[in-house]
Coordinates of all heavy atoms in Angstrom, one line a residue:
M821 N 0.9 -1.2 0.0 CA 0.0 0.0 0.0 C 0.9 1.3 0.0 O 1.7 1.4 0.8 CB -0.9 0.0 1.2 CG -2.0 -0.9 1.2 SD -3.4 -0.1 0.5 CE -4.0 1.0 1.7
A822 N 0.6 2.1 -0.9 CA 1.3 3.3 -1.0 C 0.5 4.4 -0.3 O -0.6 4.2 -0.1 CB 1.5 3.8 -2.5
L823 N 1.2 5.4 0.2 CA 0.5 6.6 0.8 C -0.4 7.2 -0.3 O -0.1 7.2 -1.5 CB 1.5 7.7 1.2 CG 2.4 7.3 2.4 CD1 3.4 8.4 2.7 CD2 1.6 7.0 3.6
E824 N -1.6 7.7 0.2 CA -2.5 8.4 -0.7 C -1.9 9.7 -1.2 O -2.3 10.2 -2.3 CB -3.8 8.7 0.1 CG -4.6 7.6 0.4 CD -5.9 8.0 1.2 OE1 -6.5 9.1 0.9 OE2 -6.2 7.3 2.1
I825 N -1.0 10.3 -0.4 CA -0.6 11.7 -0.7 C -1.7 12.6 -0.9 O -2.0 13.1 -1.9 CB 0.4 11.7 -2.0 CG1 1.4 10.6 -1.9 CG2 1.1 13.1 -2.0 CD1 2.6 10.8 -1.0
R826 N -2.3 12.9 0.3 CA -3.5 13.8 0.3 C -3.1 15.2 -0.1 O -2.0 15.7 0.2 CB -4.2 13.7 1.6 CG -4.7 12.3 1.9 CD -5.4 12.2 3.2 NE -5.7 10.8 3.5 CZ -6.2 10.4 4.7 NH1 -6.3 11.2 5.7 NH2 -6.4 9.1 4.9
P827 N -4.0 16.0 -0.7 CA -3.6 17.2 -1.4 C -3.6 18.5 -0.6 O -3.1 19.5 -1.0 CB -4.7 17.4 -2.5 CG -5.9 16.7 -1.9 CD -5.4 15.6 -1.0
N828 N -4.1 18.4 0.7 CA -4.2 19.7 1.5 C -4.0 19.5 2.9 O -4.1 18.3 3.5 CB -5.5 20.3 1.2 CG -6.7 19.5 1.8 OD1 -6.9 18.3 1.5 ND2 -7.5 20.1 2.6
C829 N -3.8 20.5 3.7 CA -3.8 20.5 5.1 C -5.2 20.5 5.6 O -6.0 21.3 5.2 CB -3.1 21.7 5.7 SG -3.2 21.9 7.5
E830 N -5.5 19.5 6.5 CA -6.9 19.3 7.0 C -7.3 20.5 7.8 O -8.5 20.7 8.0 CB -6.9 18.0 7.8 CG -8.2 17.3 7.9 CD -8.0 15.9 8.6 OE1 -7.2 15.1 8.0 OE2 -8.6 15.7 9.6
Y831 N -6.4 21.2 8.4 CA -6.7 22.3 9.3 C -6.8 23.6 8.7 O -7.9 24.3 8.8 CB -5.6 22.4 10.4 CG -6.0 23.2 11.6 CD1 -6.6 22.6 12.8 CD2 -5.7 24.6 11.6 CE1 -6.9 23.4 13.8 CE2 -6.1 25.4 12.7 CZ -6.7 24.8 13.9 OH -6.9 25.5 14.9
C832 N -5.8 24.0 7.8 CA -5.9 25.4 7.2 C -6.1 25.3 5.7 O -6.2 26.3 5.0 CB -4.6 26.1 7.5 SG -3.2 25.5 6.6
D833 N -6.2 24.1 5.1 CA -6.5 23.9 3.7 C -5.4 24.3 2.8 O -5.6 24.5 1.6 CB -7.8 24.6 3.3 CG -8.4 24.0 2.1 OD1 -8.3 22.8 1.9 OD2 -9.0 24.8 1.3
K834 N -4.2 24.5 3.3 CA -3.1 24.8 2.5 C -2.8 23.7 1.5 O -3.0 22.5 1.9 CB -1.8 25.0 3.4 CG -0.6 25.4 2.5 CD 0.6 25.5 3.5 CE 1.9 25.8 2.6 NZ 3.1 26.0 3.5
D835 N -2.5 24.0 0.3 CA -2.1 22.9 -0.7 C -0.8 22.3 -0.2 O 0.2 22.9 0.1 CB -1.9 23.5 -2.1 CG -3.2 23.9 -2.7 OD1 -4.3 23.5 -2.4 OD2 -3.2 24.8 -3.7
L836 N -0.8 20.9 -0.3 CA 0.4 20.1 0.0 C 0.6 19.2 -1.1 O 0.3 18.0 -1.0 CB 0.2 19.5 1.4 CG 0.0 20.3 2.6 CD1 -0.3 19.5 3.8 CD2 1.4 21.1 2.9
P837 N 1.2 19.6 -2.2 CA 1.5 18.7 -3.3 C 2.5 17.6 -3.0 O 3.1 17.7 -1.9 CB 2.1 19.7 -4.4 CG 2.5 20.8 -3.7 CD 1.7 21.0 -2.4
A838 N 2.6 16.7 -3.9 CA 3.5 15.5 -3.6 C 4.9 15.8 -3.3 O 5.6 15.0 -2.7 CB 3.3 14.5 -4.8
N839 N 5.4 17.0 -3.7 CA 6.8 17.3 -3.5 C 6.9 18.4 -2.3 O 8.0 19.0 -2.0 CB 7.4 17.9 -4.7 CG 6.8 19.2 -5.2 OD1 5.8 19.6 -4.7 ND2 7.4 19.9 -6.1
A840 N 5.8 18.6 -1.5 CA 5.9 19.5 -0.4 C 6.7 19.0 0.7 O 6.6 17.9 1.1 CB 4.4 19.8 0.2
L841 N 7.6 19.9 1.2 CA 8.5 19.5 2.3 C 7.9 19.8 3.6 O 8.5 19.4 4.7 CB 9.9 20.2 2.1 CG 10.6 19.8 0.8 CD1 11.9 20.7 0.8 CD2 11.0 18.4 0.8
D842 N 6.8 20.5 3.6 CA 6.2 20.9 5.0 C 4.9 20.0 5.2 O 4.2 20.4 6.1 CB 5.9 22.4 5.0 CG 4.9 22.8 4.0 OD1 4.7 22.1 2.9 OD2 4.3 23.9 4.2
A843 N 4.7 18.9 4.5 CA 3.6 18.1 4.8 C 3.9 17.1 6.0 O 5.0 16.6 6.1 CB 3.3 17.3 3.6
R844 N 3.0 17.0 6.9 CA 3.1 16.1 8.1 C 2.0 15.1 8.1 O 0.9 15.5 7.8 CB 3.2 16.9 9.3 CG 4.2 17.9 9.4 CD 5.6 17.4 9.6 NE 6.7 18.4 9.6 CZ 7.4 18.8 8.6 NH1 7.1 18.4 7.4 NH2 8.3 19.8 8.8
I845 N 2.3 13.8 8.5 CA 1.2 12.8 8.5 C 1.4 12.1 9.8 O 2.4 11.9 10.4 CB 1.3 11.8 7.3 CG1 2.8 11.2 7.3 CG2 1.1 12.5 6.0 CD1 2.9 10.1 6.2
C846 N 0.2 11.6 10.2 CA 0.1 10.6 11.3 C 0.1 9.2 10.8 O 0.2 9.0 9.6 CB -1.1 10.9 12.2 SG -2.6 10.2 11.5
S847 N 0.0 8.2 11.6 CA 0.1 6.9 11.2 C -1.0 6.4 10.3 O -1.0 5.5 9.5 CB 0.2 5.9 12.4 OG -1.0 5.7 13.0
Y848 N -2.1 7.2 10.4 CA -3.3 6.9 9.5 C -3.3 7.8 8.3 O -4.3 7.9 7.6 CB -4.7 7.2 10.3 CG -4.8 6.2 11.4 CD1 -4.5 6.6 12.7 CD2 -5.3 4.9 11.1 CE1 -4.7 5.6 13.8 CE2 -5.4 4.0 12.2 CZ -5.2 4.4 13.5 OH -5.3 3.5 14.5
E849 N -2.3 8.6 8.1 CA -2.1 9.5 7.1 C -3.1 10.7 7.2 O -3.4 11.4 6.2 CB -2.2 8.9 5.7 CG -1.3 9.7 4.6 CD -1.4 9.1 3.2 OE1 -1.7 8.0 3.0 OE2 -1.2 9.9 2.3
C850 N -3.6 11.1 8.3 CA -4.2 12.4 8.5 C -3.0 13.3 8.2 O -1.9 13.2 8.6 CB -4.5 12.6 10.0 SG -5.6 11.3 10.6
T851 N -3.4 14.4 7.4 CA -2.3 15.2 6.8 C -2.5 16.7 7.1 O -3.6 17.2 7.0 CB -2.4 15.0 5.2 OG1 -2.2 13.6 4.9 CG2 -1.3 15.8 4.5
F852 N -1.4 17.3 7.5 CA -1.4 18.7 8.0 C -0.2 19.4 7.5 O 0.8 18.7 7.2 CB -1.6 18.8 9.5 CG -2.8 18.2 10.0 CD1 -2.9 16.9 10.4 CD2 -4.0 18.9 10.1 CE1 -4.1 16.3 10.8 CE2 -5.2 18.4 10.6 CZ -5.3 17.1 10.9
C853 N -0.1 20.7 7.5 CA 1.1 21.4 7.2 C 1.9 21.6 8.5 O 1.4 21.5 9.6 CB 0.8 22.7 6.5 SG 0.2 24.0 7.7
A854 N 3.2 21.8 8.3 CA 4.1 21.9 9.5 C 3.6 23.1 10.4 O 3.8 23.0 11.6 CB 5.6 22.2 9.0
D855 N 3.2 24.2 9.8 CA 2.8 25.4 10.6 C 1.6 25.0 11.6 O 1.5 25.4 12.7 CB 2.3 26.5 9.8 CG 3.5 27.2 9.1 OD1 4.7 27.0 9.6 OD2 3.3 28.0 8.2
C856 N 0.7 24.2 11.1 CA -0.5 23.8 12.0 C 0.0 22.7 13.0 O -0.4 22.7 14.1 CB -1.6 23.2 11.1 SG -2.4 24.6 10.2
V857 N 0.8 21.8 12.6 CA 1.3 20.7 13.5 C 2.1 21.4 14.7 O 1.9 21.1 15.8 CB 2.2 19.7 12.8 CG1 3.0 18.9 13.8 CG2 1.3 18.8 11.9
D858 N 3.0 22.4 14.3 CA 3.8 23.0 15.3 C 3.0 24.1 16.1 O 3.5 24.4 17.2 CB 5.0 23.7 14.7 CG 6.0 22.7 14.0 OD1 5.9 21.5 14.4 OD2 6.7 23.1 13.1
G859 N 2.0 24.5 15.5 CA 1.2 25.6 16.2 C 0.0 25.0 16.9 O 0.1 24.4 17.9
P860 N -1.2 25.2 16.3 CA -2.5 24.9 17.0 C -2.6 23.4 17.4 O -3.2 23.0 18.3 CB -3.6 25.3 16.0 CG -2.9 25.5 14.7 CD -1.5 25.9 15.0
L861 N -1.9 22.5 16.7 CA -2.1 21.1 16.9 C -1.1 20.5 18.0 O -1.3 19.4 18.5 CB -1.9 20.2 15.6 CG -3.0 20.5 14.6 CD1 -2.8 19.7 13.3 CD2 -4.4 20.2 15.1
R862 N 0.0 21.3 18.2 CA 1.0 20.9 19.3 C 1.4 19.5 19.0 O 1.6 18.7 20.0 CB 0.4 21.1 20.6 CG 0.0 22.6 20.9 CD -0.7 22.8 22.1 NE 0.1 22.6 23.3 CZ -0.2 22.9 24.5 NH1 -1.4 23.4 24.8 NH2 0.6 22.7 25.5
N863 N 1.6 19.1 17.8 CA 2.1 17.7 17.4 C 1.2 16.6 17.9 O 1.6 15.5 18.1 CB 3.5 17.5 17.9 CG 4.2 16.4 17.2 OD1 4.0 16.2 16.0 ND2 5.0 15.6 17.8
V864 N -0.1 16.9 18.1 CA -1.1 15.9 18.4 C -2.1 15.8 17.2 O -2.7 16.8 16.8 CB -1.9 16.3 19.7 CG1 -3.0 15.2 20.0 CG2 -0.9 16.4 20.8
C865 N -2.3 14.6 16.6 CA -3.3 14.5 15.6 C -4.7 14.5 16.2 O -5.0 13.9 17.2 CB -3.2 13.1 15.0 SG -4.4 12.8 13.7
P866 N -5.5 15.5 15.7 CA -6.8 15.7 16.3 C -7.8 14.6 16.0 O -8.9 14.5 16.6 CB -7.3 17.0 15.7 CG -6.6 17.1 14.4 CD -5.2 16.4 14.6
N867 N -7.4 13.7 15.2 CA -8.3 12.5 14.9 C -8.0 11.3 15.6 O -8.9 10.5 16.0 CB -8.2 12.3 13.3 CG -8.7 13.5 12.5 OD1 -9.6 14.2 12.8 ND2 -7.9 13.7 11.5
C868 N -6.7 11.0 15.9 CA -6.3 9.8 16.5 C -5.4 9.9 17.7 O -5.0 8.9 18.4 CB -5.6 8.9 15.4 SG -4.0 9.4 15.0
R869 N -5.0 11.1 18.0 CA -4.1 11.4 19.2 C -2.7 11.0 19.0 O -1.9 11.1 19.9 CB -4.6 10.7 20.5 CG -5.8 11.4 21.1 CD -6.0 10.9 22.5 NE -6.8 11.7 23.3 CZ -7.1 11.5 24.6 NH1 -6.8 10.4 25.2 NH2 -7.9 12.4 25.3
G870 N -2.3 10.5 17.8 CA -0.9 10.2 17.6 C -0.1 11.4 17.2 O -0.6 12.5 17.3
G871 N 1.2 11.2 17.0 CA 2.1 12.2 16.6 C 2.2 12.3 15.1 O 1.6 11.6 14.3
F872 N 3.2 13.1 14.6 CA 3.3 13.3 13.3 C 4.8 13.1 12.8 O 5.7 13.2 13.6 CB 3.0 14.8 12.9 CG 1.5 15.0 13.0 CD1 1.0 15.7 14.1 CD2 0.6 14.7 12.0 CE1 -0.3 16.0 14.2 CE2 -0.7 14.9 12.1 CZ -1.2 15.6 13.2
A873 N 5.0 12.7 11.6 CA 6.3 12.7 10.9 C 6.2 13.4 9.6 O 5.1 13.5 9.0 CB 6.7 11.2 10.7
P874 N 7.4 13.9 9.1 CA 7.4 14.5 7.8 C 6.9 13.5 6.7 O 7.4 12.3 6.8 CB 8.9 14.8 7.6 CG 9.4 14.9 8.9 CD 8.7 13.9 9.7
R875 N 6.1 13.9 5.8 CA 5.7 13.0 4.7 C 6.7 13.1 3.6 O 7.2 14.1 3.2 CB 4.3 13.5 4.1 CG 3.8 12.6 3.1 CD 2.5 13.1 2.4 NE 2.7 14.3 1.6 CZ 1.8 15.0 1.1 NH1 0.5 14.8 1.4 NH2 2.1 16.1 0.3
P876 N 7.2 11.9 3.2 CA 8.2 11.9 2.1 C 7.6 12.4 0.8 O 6.5 12.2 0.5 CB 8.7 10.4 2.1 CG 7.7 9.6 2.8 CD 6.9 10.6 3.7
I877 N 8.5 13.0 0.0 CA 8.0 13.4 -1.3 C 7.8 12.2 -2.2 O 8.5 11.1 -1.9 CB 8.9 14.4 -1.9 CG1 10.3 13.7 -2.3 CG2 9.1 15.6 -1.1 CD1 10.7 13.8 -3.7
R878 N 6.9 12.3 -3.2 CA 6.9 11.2 -4.3 C 7.5 11.8 -5.5 O 7.0 12.8 -6.0 CB 5.4 10.8 -4.5 CG 5.3 9.7 -5.6 CD 4.0 9.1 -5.6 NE 3.7 8.4 -4.3 CZ 2.6 7.8 -4.0 NH1 1.5 7.9 -4.9 NH2 2.4 7.2 -2.9
P879 N 8.6 11.2 -6.0 CA 9.2 11.8 -7.2 C 8.3 11.8 -8.4 O 7.6 10.9 -8.6 CB 10.4 10.8 -7.4 CG 10.7 10.2 -6.1 CD 9.3 10.1 -5.4
A880 N 8.4 13.0 -9.1 CA 7.6 13.1 -10.3 C 8.1 12.2 -11.4 O 7.4 11.7 -12.3 CB 7.5 14.5 -10.7
R881 N 9.4 12.0 -11.3 CA 10.0 11.3 -12.5 C 10.1 9.8 -12.2 O 10.3 9.3 -11.0 CB 11.5 11.8 -12.6 CG 12.3 11.4 -13.8 CD 13.6 12.2 -13.8 NE 14.5 11.4 -14.6 CZ 15.8 11.8 -14.7 NH1 16.3 12.8 -14.1 NH2 16.6 11.1 -15.4
G882 N 10.0 9.0 -13.2 CA 10.0 7.6 -13.1 C 11.4 7.0 -13.1 O 11.9 6.5 -14.1
W883 N 12.0 7.0 -11.9 CA 13.4 6.6 -11.8 C 13.5 5.0 -11.9 O 14.6 4.5 -12.3 CB 14.0 7.0 -10.5 CG 14.1 8.5 -10.3 CD1 13.2 9.3 -9.8 CD2 15.1 9.3 -10.8 NE1 13.6 10.6 -9.9 CE2 14.8 10.7 -10.5 CE3 16.4 9.1 -11.5 CZ2 15.6 11.8 -10.8 CZ3 17.2 10.2 -11.8 CH2 16.8 11.4 -11.5
R884 N 12.4 4.4 -11.6 CA 12.3 2.9 -11.8 C 11.0 2.6 -12.5 O 10.0 3.4 -12.3 CB 12.4 2.2 -10.4 CG 13.6 2.4 -9.6 CD 14.7 1.5 -10.1 NE 15.8 1.5 -9.1 CZ 17.0 0.9 -9.3 NH1 17.2 0.3 -10.5 NH2 17.9 0.8 -8.4
P885 N 10.8 1.5 -13.1 CA 9.6 1.2 -13.7 C 8.4 1.2 -12.8 O 8.5 0.6 -11.7 CB 9.8 -0.2 -14.3 CG 11.2 -0.3 -14.5 CD 11.8 0.5 -13.3
G886 N 7.3 1.8 -13.1 CA 6.0 1.8 -12.3 C 6.0 2.7 -11.1 O 5.0 2.9 -10.5
V887 N 7.1 3.4 -10.8 CA 7.0 4.3 -9.6 C 7.4 5.7 -10.0 O 8.5 6.1 -10.2 CB 8.0 3.8 -8.5 CG1 7.4 2.6 -7.8 CG2 9.4 3.5 -9.0
S888 N 6.3 6.4 -10.1 CA 6.5 7.9 -10.4 C 5.1 8.6 -10.0 O 4.1 7.8 -9.9 CB 6.8 8.2 -11.8 OG 5.7 7.9 -12.7
L889 N 5.1 9.8 -9.9 CA 3.8 10.5 -9.7 C 2.8 10.2 -10.7 O 1.6 10.1 -10.5 CB 4.1 12.0 -9.5 CG 3.0 12.8 -8.8 CD1 2.6 12.2 -7.4 CD2 3.4 14.2 -8.7
A890 N 3.2 10.1 -12.0 CA 2.3 9.8 -13.1 C 1.7 8.4 -13.0 O 0.5 8.2 -13.2 CB 3.0 10.0 -14.4
R891 N 2.5 7.5 -12.6 CA 2.0 6.1 -12.6 C 1.3 5.8 -11.3 O 0.4 4.9 -11.2 CB 3.2 5.1 -12.6 CG 4.0 5.1 -13.9 CD 3.1 4.7 -15.1 NE 2.6 3.3 -14.9 CZ 3.3 2.2 -15.3 NH1 4.4 2.3 -15.9 NH2 2.8 1.0 -15.1
R892 N 1.6 6.4 -10.2 CA 1.0 6.3 -8.9 C 0.6 7.7 -8.4 O 1.2 8.3 -7.5 CB 1.9 5.6 -7.8 CG 2.4 4.2 -8.3 CD 1.3 3.2 -8.4 NE 0.7 2.9 -7.1 CZ 1.1 2.0 -6.2 NH1 2.1 1.2 -6.5 NH2 0.5 1.8 -5.1
P893 N -0.6 8.2 -9.0 CA -0.9 9.6 -8.7 C -1.3 9.9 -7.3 O -1.8 9.0 -6.5 CB -2.1 9.9 -9.6 CG -2.3 8.7 -10.5 CD -1.5 7.5 -9.9
A894 N -1.0 11.2 -6.9 CA -1.5 11.6 -5.5 C -3.0 11.7 -5.5 O -3.6 12.0 -6.5 CB -0.8 12.9 -5.2
S895 N -3.5 11.6 -4.3 CA -5.0 11.8 -4.1 C -5.4 13.2 -4.5 O -4.6 14.2 -4.3 CB -5.4 11.5 -2.7 OG -6.7 11.9 -2.4
T896 N -6.5 13.4 -5.0 CA -7.1 14.7 -5.3 C -8.2 15.1 -4.4 O -8.9 16.1 -4.5 CB -7.5 14.9 -6.8 OG1 -8.5 13.9 -7.0 CG2 -6.4 14.7 -7.7
K897 N -8.5 14.2 -3.5 CA -9.7 14.4 -2.6 C -9.3 15.2 -1.3 O -8.6 14.7 -0.5 CB -10.2 13.0 -2.2 CG -11.5 13.1 -1.4 CD -12.1 11.6 -1.1 CE -13.3 11.8 -0.1 NZ -13.2 10.9 1.0
R898 N -9.8 16.4 -1.4 CA -9.4 17.3 -0.2 C -10.1 16.8 1.0 O -11.3 16.4 1.0 CB -9.7 18.8 -0.5 CG -9.0 19.3 -1.8 CD -9.3 20.7 -2.1 NE -8.5 21.6 -1.3 CZ -7.2 22.0 -1.5 NH1 -6.6 21.5 -2.6 NH2 -6.6 22.8 -0.8
V899 N -9.4 17.0 2.2 CA -10.0 16.5 3.4 C -10.1 17.7 4.4 O -9.2 18.6 4.4 CB -9.0 15.4 4.1 CG1 -9.6 15.0 5.4 CG2 -8.9 14.3 3.1
G900 N -11.2 17.8 5.1 CA -11.3 18.9 6.0 C -11.4 18.3 7.5 O -11.3 17.1 7.7
L901 N -11.6 19.3 8.4 CA -11.6 18.9 9.8 C -12.9 18.1 10.2 O -14.0 18.4 9.6 CB -11.5 20.1 10.7 CG -10.3 20.8 10.8 CD1 -10.4 22.1 11.6 CD2 -9.1 20.0 11.3
S902 N -12.7 17.1 11.0 CA -13.9 16.4 11.5 C -14.4 16.9 12.9 O -15.5 16.5 13.4 CB -13.6 14.9 11.8 OG -13.1 14.3 10.6
Y903 N -13.7 17.9 13.4 CA -14.1 18.5 14.7 C -13.8 20.0 14.6 O -13.1 20.5 13.8 CB -13.2 17.9 15.9 CG -13.2 16.4 15.9 CD1 -12.2 15.7 15.2 CD2 -14.2 15.7 16.6 CE1 -12.3 14.3 15.2 CE2 -14.3 14.4 16.5 CZ -13.3 13.6 15.8 OH -13.4 12.3 15.9
S904 N -14.5 20.7 15.5 CA -14.3 22.2 15.4 C -13.0 22.5 16.0 O -12.4 21.8 16.7 CB -15.4 22.9 16.3 OG -15.2 22.7 17.7
R905 N -12.5 23.8 15.5 CA -11.2 24.3 16.0 C -11.2 24.4 17.5 O -10.2 24.2 18.2 CB -10.9 25.5 15.4 CG -10.5 25.4 13.9 CD -10.0 26.6 13.2 NE -9.7 26.3 11.8 CZ -8.8 27.0 11.1 NH1 -8.2 28.0 11.6 NH2 -8.5 26.7 9.9
D906 N -12.3 24.9 18.1 CA -12.4 25.0 19.6 C -12.3 23.6 20.3 O -11.6 23.5 21.3 CB -13.8 25.6 20.0 CG -13.8 27.1 19.6 OD1 -12.7 27.7 19.3 OD2 -14.9 27.7 19.6
E907 N -13.0 22.7 19.7 CA -12.9 21.3 20.3 C -11.5 20.8 20.2 O -10.9 20.1 21.2 CB -13.9 20.4 19.6 CG -14.2 19.1 20.4 CD -13.2 18.0 20.2 OE1 -12.3 18.1 19.3 OE2 -13.3 17.0 20.9
I908 N -10.8 21.0 19.1 CA -9.4 20.5 18.9 C -8.5 21.2 19.9 O -7.6 20.6 20.4 CB -9.0 20.7 17.4 CG1 -9.8 19.7 16.5 CG2 -7.5 20.6 17.2 CD1 -9.6 20.1 15.0
A909 N -8.7 22.5 20.1 CA -7.8 23.2 21.0 C -7.8 22.6 22.4 O -6.8 22.4 23.1 CB -8.2 24.6 21.1
L910 N -9.0 22.2 22.9 CA -9.1 21.5 24.2 C -8.5 20.1 24.1 O -7.8 19.7 25.0 CB -10.6 21.4 24.6 CG -11.3 22.8 24.9 CD1 -12.7 22.5 25.1 CD2 -10.6 23.4 26.1
F911 N -8.8 19.4 23.1 CA -8.3 18.0 22.9 C -6.7 18.0 22.9 O -6.1 17.2 23.6 CB -8.8 17.5 21.6 CG -8.5 16.1 21.3 CD1 -9.2 15.0 21.9 CD2 -7.5 15.7 20.4 CE1 -8.9 13.7 21.6 CE2 -7.2 14.4 20.0 CZ -7.9 13.4 20.7
V912 N -6.1 18.8 22.1 CA -4.6 18.8 22.1 C -4.0 19.4 23.3 O -2.9 19.0 23.7 CB -4.1 19.4 20.8 CG1 -4.7 18.8 19.6 CG2 -4.3 20.9 20.8
R913 N -4.6 20.3 24.0 CA -4.1 20.9 25.2 C -3.8 19.8 26.2 O -2.8 19.8 26.9 CB -5.0 21.9 25.8 CG -4.4 22.7 26.9 CD -5.5 23.5 27.7 NE -6.5 22.7 28.3 CZ -7.6 23.1 28.8 NH1 -7.9 24.4 28.8 NH2 -8.4 22.2 29.4
D914 N -4.8 18.9 26.4 CA -4.6 17.8 27.4 C -3.6 16.7 26.9 O -2.8 16.3 27.6 CB -6.0 17.1 27.6 CG -6.9 18.1 28.3 OD1 -6.4 19.1 29.0 OD2 -8.2 17.9 28.2
V915 N -3.8 16.4 25.6 CA -3.0 15.3 25.1 C -1.5 15.6 25.0 O -0.7 14.7 25.1 CB -3.6 14.7 23.8 CG1 -2.7 13.6 23.2 CG2 -5.0 14.3 24.0
A916 N -1.2 16.9 24.7 CA 0.1 17.2 24.4 C 1.0 17.1 25.6 O 2.2 16.9 25.6 CB 0.2 18.7 24.0
L917 N 0.4 16.9 26.8 CA 1.2 16.7 28.0 C 1.5 15.2 28.2 O 2.4 14.9 29.0 CB 0.3 17.2 29.2 CG -0.1 18.6 29.2 CD1 -1.0 18.9 30.4 CD2 1.2 19.5 29.3
I918 N 0.9 14.4 27.5 CA 1.2 12.9 27.6 C 2.3 12.6 26.5 O 2.2 13.0 25.4 CB 0.0 12.1 27.2 CG1 -1.2 12.5 28.2 CG2 0.3 10.6 27.4 CD1 -2.5 11.9 27.8
A919 N 3.4 11.9 27.0 CA 4.5 11.6 26.0 C 4.0 10.9 24.8 O 3.0 10.1 25.0 CB 5.6 10.8 26.8
A920 N 4.6 11.2 23.7 CA 4.0 10.6 22.4 C 4.0 9.1 22.4 O 3.1 8.5 21.8 CB 4.9 11.2 21.3
D921 N 4.9 8.4 23.1 CA 4.9 7.0 23.1 C 4.0 6.4 24.2 O 3.9 5.2 24.3 CB 6.3 6.4 23.2 CG 6.9 6.8 24.6 OD1 6.4 7.7 25.2 OD2 7.9 6.1 24.9
K922 N 3.3 7.2 24.9 CA 2.4 6.7 26.0 C 0.9 7.0 25.7 O 0.0 6.8 26.6 CB 2.7 7.4 27.4 CG 4.2 7.1 27.8 CD 4.4 5.7 28.3 CE 5.7 5.5 29.0 NZ 6.9 5.5 28.0
R923 N 0.7 7.5 24.5 CA -0.8 7.8 24.2 C -1.5 6.6 23.8 O -2.7 6.5 23.7 CB -0.8 8.9 23.1 CG -0.3 10.2 23.5 CD -0.3 11.1 22.3 NE 0.6 12.3 22.6 CZ 1.1 13.1 21.7 NH1 0.9 12.8 20.4 NH2 1.9 14.0 22.0
Ligands
ZN355 ZN1 -2.2 23.9 7.9
ZN356 ZN1 -4.4 10.7 12.9

């Protein structure tokens, strides 16, 4: 299974193309920009409570057969928040105090 490479930040709707260096994902591939992860989200995924890692870029060019952005396109389905920003602020405030490996 390849990553979907979702097209936008779920929090602020910033475009995050397949070569974006500021895309962050949780283990379920909830996708946010670095500014939102470091800012309002406090490195807590508002959907699953996990943490984030940088999303690797998907090369546009086919360096090997079958693997390129053209052959394995990024998702075009934009994703939005499932919870209100006020609810998320409370959620991450509490969870951010729990070490990432103890959640
Ligand atoms: Zn964002
Ligand atoms: Zn998540």
Side-chain angles (χ1 to χ4, degrees):
M821 283 273 288
L823 293 176
E824 291 178 37
I825 313 284
R826 298 178 187 172
N828 67 305
C829 172
E830 202 172 306
Y831 193 92
C832 74
D833 201 36
K834 178 184 181 177
D835 287 340
L836 294 171
N839 64 351
L841 296 177
D842 64 338
R844 302 288 181 265
I845 55 174
C846 80
S847 75
Y848 295 99
E849 211 184 333
C850 308
T851 303
F852 298 89
C853 73
D855 285 346
C856 289
V857 165
D858 296 340
L861 296 178
R862 300 174 69 172
N863 201 33
V864 176
C865 177
N867 301 319
C868 70
R869 281 190 163 182
F872 291 100
R875 186 182 70 189
I877 64 124
R878 180 167 297 172
R881 191 171 155 187
W883 295 95
R884 298 280 196 188
V887 286
S888 69
L889 196 55
R891 295 296 299 272
R892 301 294 296 269
S895 168
T896 57
K897 187 176 174 229
R898 299 183 83 82
V899 179
L901 289 177
S902 301
Y903 307 93
S904 74
R905 291 186 178 205
D906 286 346
E907 197 276 349
I908 289 170
L910 292 172
F911 184 81
V912 303
R913 186 193 63 190
D914 295 337
V915 177
L917 299 175
I918 305 170
D921 64 341
K922 299 289 190 284
R923 291 176 198 159

